[in-house]
Amino acid sequence: MVVGSVYRERALLALRLAALAAGAVVMVLPFAYMLSTSFKPDRLVLEIPPRFLPNPPTTANYVDAWTSNDFGRYFFNSVIVASATTLAAVFLSALMAYAFARFRFVGRGLLFGLLLLGLMVPAMMLLIPQFLVAKKLLLLDSLWGLVVFYTGGNLALNTFLLRSFFRDIPRELEEAMLVDGAGPWRRFRSLIVPLSRPALATVAIFTFLASWDEFAWALTIISDPSKRTLPIAIALFQGQHATSWGLVFAASAIAVGPVVAIFVTFQRQFVSGLTTGALKG
């Protein structure tokens, strides 16, 4: 019986490892193919059978992608928009989450319910109302128009995630600071924020990804070519170079670079935040 139980456990472990390996291959394979194709000359892009290791490799696609169509300008536009959105959204959502988690005020439950209701509305349904509001606020064809609405679009989810994290921080720690005369802002800045770094890093990564990859709203309000962001630039780039897939994949690889760098930088906090949230859930 003991031997049979050991064999079953080993078989289950082997099945889990095989499933994880298969999932990893499925996730990594498209990215590996994109990266491989970005180093291929045009004549080798559509070769049959395809080869993952280009021979000979070339960096000409990256040079052409960066220097064509003001791609560098679009890249820095996306960096500005995504960075400003992340800072604003994380700061504002942290304040809102702290208020919902720690303070009692009239209408708190109703306001939080309305906030959650916003998560149920598809973003595409809000394009026309948002466009009319942006027009009234003179935010059309402006990077600030992207930052403002990207920030608003991320507040609900960020606040929901941070509120549950803040509520699990022991109140006794705040009460000790309150005895020492610390006000709400000092308690938030000196206690809540340092203890919530994993959660803040998690929502920061989510916000950066959402604003970095967003396409529909940027396409709707941006008409000045100098203010385009990377998703629009890559879409137009692909249309202008429909057969130059090495060029298109090189541009896509450049766009993925900052996302990978952000995740690698905050990987420990991100994993810690997800693990803590799972354990608390």
Side-chain angles (χ1 to χ4, degrees):
M1 295 293 293
V2 175
V3 175
S5 176
V6 171
Y7 280 126
R8 280 197 300 270
E9 290 181 1
R10 290 181 178 178
L12 289 175
L13 179 60
L15 288 175
R16 293 193 187 104
L17 292 177
L20 289 174
V25 170
V26 171
M27 295 294 294
V28 172
L29 190 61
F31 178 75
Y33 181 77
M34 178 191 73
L35 198 61
S36 172
T37 305
S38 68
F39 287 100
K40 292 180 180 179
D42 286 340
R43 69 181 186 276
L44 300 179
V45 169
L46 300 178
E47 64 179 343
I48 298 175
R51 288 185 294 179
F52 274 96
L53 296 178
N55 186 22
T58 177
T59 59
N61 290 326
Y62 287 89
V63 175
D64 293 341
W66 185 262
T67 56
S68 299
N69 281 344
D70 286 333
F71 191 83
R73 179 191 293 272
Y74 304 152
F75 181 90
F76 287 112
N77 286 346
S78 286
V79 170
I80 293 171
V81 170
S83 300
T85 299
T86 301
L87 291 174
V90 172
F91 177 71
L92 293 176
S93 59
L95 291 177
M96 292 172 60
Y98 181 60
F100 281 122
R102 285 296 193 253
F103 300 115
R104 298 186 179 275
F105 50 87
V106 177
R108 182 180 70 165
L110 176 62
L111 289 175
F112 190 70
L114 292 175
L115 190 72
L116 296 183
L117 185 62
L119 293 175
M120 305 176 189
V121 181
M124 295 301 295
M125 294 182 61
L126 300 176
L127 279 181
I128 295 178
Q130 287 179 344
F131 182 86
L132 296 177
V133 172
K135 184 177 181 181
K136 293 290 185 181
L137 297 177
L138 303 179
L139 292 176
L140 294 180
D141 204 20
S142 166
L143 294 182
W144 284 111
L146 299 178
V147 172
V148 169
F149 286 92
Y150 288 169
T151 300
N154 285 282
L155 284 181
L157 178 60
N158 290 357
T159 302
F160 173 73
L161 295 175
L162 291 175
R163 173 181 174 269
S164 62
F165 194 93
F166 291 169
R167 290 180 64 182
D168 290 315
I169 296 177
R171 288 182 176 271
E172 291 78 8
L173 298 177
E174 282 193 80
E175 292 172 356
M177 294 188 67
L178 187 61
V179 171
D180 292 336
W185 171 249
R186 183 182 170 190
R187 298 199 302 271
F188 172 77
R189 176 174 53 86
S190 302
L191 177 67
I192 300 297
V193 171
L195 291 179
S196 305
R197 286 179 181 174
L200 293 173
T202 300
V203 298
I205 291 175
F206 286 157
T207 303
F208 188 90
L209 289 176
S211 55
W212 184 265
D213 295 335
E214 204 282 330
F215 176 78
W217 178 243
L219 182 65
T220 301
I221 72 166
I222 298 297
S223 57
D224 186 350
S226 66
K227 297 177 183 177
R228 291 171 179 163
T229 53
L230 275 182
I232 300 177
I234 293 175
L236 296 176
F237 201 60
Q238 182 176 344
Q240 294 176 10
H241 303 274
T243 58
S244 185
W245 290 107
L247 205 59
V248 173
F249 286 159
S252 301
I254 294 174
V256 169
V259 175
V260 175
I262 291 292
F263 180 78
V264 171
T265 302
F266 297 101
Q267 179 182 10
R268 181 177 300 177
Q269 291 83 355
F270 178 71
V271 174
S272 176
L274 292 181
T275 305
T276 304
L279 293 176
K280 290 178 180 178

